[in-house]
Every structure is written in C-alpha cells, then in structure tokens.
C-alpha cells in the first residue's frame, strides 16, 4: 500500500514538469512547421488501461464470495477469474486493429458473453453488473452497423436474465448495458478519427514541403542554367577579342559583371518566393544571350495581353529553350514566336542547329513540362525535319492582365 501511495504521490509531483515538457515540445513542433501532436499530450488518447478500472463494478460479486453469501463459491470464483481474464484480453486486443479484427477476439467476446450469462443467471443481484462490462467490451471491439445489432442482443439477454432474477428492478441493468457499449464505441471511433486526421495533416504538410522543394529546385536550375550559360558565352567572346580589341573585351567583362549581379538578385528573390518571370524581360534576356553566342534572334509576338501566371510560365520556357540553344544547338538563328488566341496562347522556339541532341532531355524541360501540365497546358520538343530543333508550349488563356508586357 505504501508503494502504491508513494507512486501516486510521485506521479502528482512530476505532473507540472511533464506538462511543461509537453508544452515545450509542442512549441518546438510549431516552430518547425509540424502539425500539433493532438492526442499525445499528458492526457493521451483512450487505451486499454482506460477500460480496466471499470472492473470495479464486479467488487459486489467479490464481496459476496468473501462473505460466503454465494452458493458454490468455488464455481463462482472460477467464473469470476474467467470473466476478468477474458475482459482484460479483449480490452488489450481492442486497441490493435489487426488483433481486434482477428477471429480469436470474436470468440473471446462470445466466451465472455457465455460466462456473463452463466454467472448472472446463477447468482443474480450484483452479478448482473457484469452485463454492462460485457457491453463495454463489445463496444470496444465491434465497429460499424453490426454494433447496434450486437448491443440490442446483449441488452435483450440482460433484460431477460435480469427480469427472471430481479424483476422490474433490472431495467437499470438493461439501460446501462446498452449505454456502456454505444458510448464506448462512439468515443473510440472518435479517437481513431482524430488520429487519422492528425496523420493526414502531417502527411499533407510533408507533401507541401516536398512540393516546395521541387519548385525551388526547378527555379534554381532555370535561373543558374541560363545565367551561367551567358557568363560562359561572354567570357569566351572576351577571350577571343581581347588580343585585337581590348575595349570590346572590357565591354564583355562589364556585361559579365552585370549578369552576375542580376543573377544574385534573382536568386535572392527566388529564395524568398517572390520572383515572377516576366515574359517581356525573358524575351529581352534571350535576345542578349543568343546575340552574345553568335545566334541571330528573331522575336515575334502577337495577340492580347497575358495574365501574370501565364506570362510567368511562358517566361520560364523562353529562358530554358534559349539556354539550351546557346549551350547545345550550334545554330546560326533562333526564332521565338508568341501567338495569343481567344482560348489558348502558343509559344514556339525554333533554331536551325544540329537538331537531334541539340537539347537533350533534362530536368529543365522535364520540370517545365510538369509545371505546364499542372496549369492545363502542354510542352513538346524535338528535332525539325530538315534540321533544327523546336520547343512548343501551349497554355489556356486566363483573365487579361492589366496592360501589355511589351512586344518583340
């Protein structure tokens, strides 16, 4: 008894510390952007130990055995031991989904019902209180539509046996049996639903993080791929012309410095998530990059103004296709044409380079294809008959943007 009291006092003494630790852990989870740990705090969700104290309802039967008020006490003691053993087994199996659905658990529940009927029918009085315990065990195990049928059957048995032993005084046993099973099932079903919702929320949070990482990796690839290609092209141009025209070489170096500074700005904006690739700005950058690589740019644009999201997606396509043309095509000219229609807008970028292999499939075009597909568009690329390579992007037209973004 001293050990039990000491453990209880220790538990009460540790309660403030454990509560403070749980709150600190929740603040840390919130700071990391994780879902709250609902149902796992100091109180915790229902478990098998939550149902064990209800066995105290059988203390009246134990008292009858101890005071010799029960005929054939050895039979009653064996029945009481069997009931408690079956009840504990069922409650622990009820909180494991696979064990709860196993046939062995159903047979244990049937055996518990048989023992309950035998003890209540043989002794009556306080032994009838085993029926509410039977209802509680049934509510912990059975789910769905069958629960109502089973609880109605158990309540009917309780009413029939209780009526034979106690008359109308057993109506409370019937009510308690039905109520204990239905309330237990409702509480456990609600607890399982909350746990599933919490797990779903955490999974959605993880999916959102993965999606954001994918978006950032695509943006960073497109940004650095284009910028580094321009730097390499201008560096080669400066190296070639430096021996005969130092001023022109210095001009190329200044362009490299400008491109580098612009790249730093774009990377900072991409990290903060505020960058929108303007179609007009990307067309201007493509002209400069293609010209620096010795490729003649020919840009044409027609149609109404585009919505910001549509223009941003097409801007990424221009950036990636121009970068591939500079790095791989070996072309002499590159045509960029934007054709706006009443329902869809079409972007076609064609170079007269090597064609097959001029823009090998990679994370750039693949990622852009996924982004356009998510917006209801398409992206195709491939060699042109007779030589060259073509990238074609189509997107549905959204609400017109305020003002034009410029023409080529």
């Amino acid at each position: 008894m001293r050990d039990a009291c000491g453990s209880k006092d220790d538990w009460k003494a540790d309660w403030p510390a454990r509560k403070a630790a749980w709150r600190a852990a929740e603040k840390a989870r919130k700071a990391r952007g994780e879902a709250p740990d609902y149902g796992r705090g100091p109180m915790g969700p229902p478990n098998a130990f939550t149902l064990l104290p209800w066995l105290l309802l059988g203390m009246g039967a134990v008292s009858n055995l101890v005071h010799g008020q029960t005929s054939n006490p050895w039979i009653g003691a064996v029945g009481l031991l069997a009931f408690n053993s079956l009840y504990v087994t069922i409650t622990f199996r009820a909180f494991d989904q696979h064990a709860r659905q196993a046939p062995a658990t159903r047979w244990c529940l049937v055996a518990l019902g048989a023992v309950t009927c035998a003890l209540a029918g043989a002794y009556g009085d306080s032994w009838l209180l085993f029926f509410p315990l039977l209802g509680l065990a049934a509510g912990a195990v059975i789910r769905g539509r069958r629960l109502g049928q089973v609880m109605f059957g158990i309540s009917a048995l309780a009413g029939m046996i209780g009526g034979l032993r106690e008359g109308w005084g057993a109506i409370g046993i019937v009510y308690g049996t039905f109520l204990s099973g239905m309330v237990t099932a409702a509480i456990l079903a609600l607890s399982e639903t909350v746990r599933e919702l919490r797990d779903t929320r955490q999974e959605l949070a993880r999916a959102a993080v993965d999606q954001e990482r994918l978006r950032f990796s695509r943006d960073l690839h497109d940004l650095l791929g284009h910028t580094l290609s321009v730097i390499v092209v201008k560096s080669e141009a400066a190296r070639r012309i430096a021996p005969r025209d130092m001023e022109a070489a210095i001009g190329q170096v200044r362009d490299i410095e400008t491109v580098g500074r612009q790249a730093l700005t774009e990377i900072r904006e991409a990290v903060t998530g505020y960058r929108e690739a303007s179609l007009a700005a990307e067309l201007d950058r493509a002209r400069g990059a293609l010209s620096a690589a010795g490729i003649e740019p020919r840009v044409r644009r027609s149609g109404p103004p585009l919505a910001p999201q549509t223009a941003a997606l097409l801007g990424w396509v221009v950036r990636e296709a121009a970068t591939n043309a500079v790095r791989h095509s070996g072309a002499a000219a590159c045509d960029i044409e934007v054709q706006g229609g009443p329902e869809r807008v079409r972007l076609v970028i064609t170079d007269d380079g090597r064609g097959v292999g001029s823009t090998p499939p990679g994370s750039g075009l693949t990622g852009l294809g996924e982004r356009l597909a998510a917006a209801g568009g398409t992206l195709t690329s491939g060699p042109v008959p007779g030589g060259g390579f073509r990238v074609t992007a189509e997107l549905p037209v959204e609400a017109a943007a305020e003002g034009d973004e410029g023409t080529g």
Side-chain angles (χ1 to χ4, degrees):
M1 178 66 69
R2 289 181 180 178
D3 293 339
C5 293
S7 300
K8 185 176 181 180
D9 293 339
D10 293 340
W11 186 87
K12 289 183 177 179
D14 292 341
W15 171 256
R18 291 188 293 109
K19 187 175 181 180
W22 177 74
R23 287 181 174 177
E26 284 301 297
K27 289 182 179 179
R29 291 174 64 87
K30 185 177 181 180
R32 295 193 300 267
E34 298 179 3
D37 196 15
Y38 297 122
R40 296 183 182 178
M43 300 304 294
N47 53 46
F49 293 100
T50 308
L51 303 182
L52 293 184
W54 291 101
L55 283 173
L56 294 175
L57 287 174
M59 290 301 297
V62 176
S63 177
N64 289 342
L65 285 175
V66 172
H67 292 88
Q69 299 175 357
T70 302
S71 61
N72 300 317
W74 290 106
I75 297 177
V78 171
L80 185 61
L81 178 62
F83 181 92
N84 289 339
S85 300
L86 289 169
Y87 179 87
V88 172
T89 300
I90 291 172
T91 54
F92 275 94
R93 294 178 68 89
F95 288 88
D96 182 273
Q97 183 176 1
H98 297 290
R100 184 177 69 238
Q101 297 175 351
T105 304
R106 310 291 184 183
W107 285 111
C108 285
L109 187 61
V110 172
L112 183 68
V115 173
T116 302
C117 291
L119 293 176
Y123 300 116
D125 195 19
S126 59
W127 296 79
L128 292 172
L129 292 175
F130 288 136
F131 272 110
L133 290 176
L134 174 62
L136 193 149
V141 171
I142 301 174
R143 299 286 189 273
R145 297 179 179 178
R146 295 182 58 189
L147 175 64
Q149 301 173 357
V150 172
M151 290 310 305
F152 180 80
I154 294 176
S155 300
L157 282 174
M160 183 175 61
I161 296 176
L164 292 175
R165 298 291 306 188
E166 304 295 333
W168 286 103
I171 191 67
I173 298 297
V174 177
Y175 176 76
T177 299
F178 184 81
L179 189 64
S180 65
M182 299 303 291
V183 171
T184 300
I187 292 175
L188 295 185
L190 180 61
S191 176
E192 292 175 358
T193 302
V194 170
R195 183 171 60 253
E196 292 175 359
L197 289 174
R198 183 185 64 245
D199 295 340
T200 301
R201 180 177 179 179
Q202 292 176 347
E203 184 63 28
L204 290 175
R206 285 192 293 267
V209 171
D210 293 340
Q211 187 67 24
E212 182 61 18
R213 287 174 178 170
L214 180 60
R215 182 199 68 80
F216 180 73
S217 66
R218 289 169 177 169
D219 289 355
L220 198 60
H221 170 273
D222 295 338
L223 286 171
L224 293 182
H226 174 81
T227 302
L228 293 177
S229 297
V230 173
I231 290 175
V232 169
V233 169
K234 288 188 172 292
S235 299
E236 292 175 347
R239 177 177 54 80
R240 288 196 304 268
I241 64 177
R244 62 179 184 273
D245 191 344
M246 184 58 66
E247 289 297 328
I250 293 175
Q252 293 291 337
V253 173
R254 291 195 188 97
D255 291 342
I256 292 173
E257 180 182 1
T258 302
V259 171
R261 293 183 183 277
Q262 180 65 27
L264 289 176
T265 302
E266 291 177 347
I267 289 174
R268 292 191 188 100
E269 292 174 348
V271 169
T272 55
Y274 296 121
R275 184 180 189 277
E276 288 290 346
S278 169
L279 179 58
E282 293 301 337
L283 290 173
D284 291 339
R285 291 192 183 99
R287 286 193 190 96
L290 292 170
S291 299
I295 303 175
E296 179 186 358
R298 295 193 289 261
V299 181
R300 295 183 296 275
R301 185 174 179 185
S302 61
L306 301 177
Q309 182 180 4
T310 303
L313 286 173
L314 294 181
W316 284 115
V317 177
V318 170
R319 173 182 284 262
E320 180 64 23
T323 300
N324 285 337
V326 169
R327 296 169 62 182
H328 307 297
S329 69
C334 181
D335 295 323
I336 303 176
E337 184 175 5
V338 181
Q339 303 170 347
E343 296 182 357
R344 298 182 72 84
V345 58
R346 190 165 184 259
L347 169 66
V348 181
I349 303 173
T350 308
D351 64 62
D352 58 358
R354 290 187 291 268
V356 177
S358 63
T359 54
S363 59
L365 289 177
T366 301
L368 285 172
E370 294 173 355
R371 295 172 70 173
L372 265 67
T378 59
L379 178 69
T380 58
S381 60
V384 179
F389 197 83
R390 177 176 296 146
V391 177
T392 303
E394 289 191 10
L395 279 172
V397 173
E398 300 177 355
E402 293 183 4
D404 201 347
E405 292 192 13
T407 58

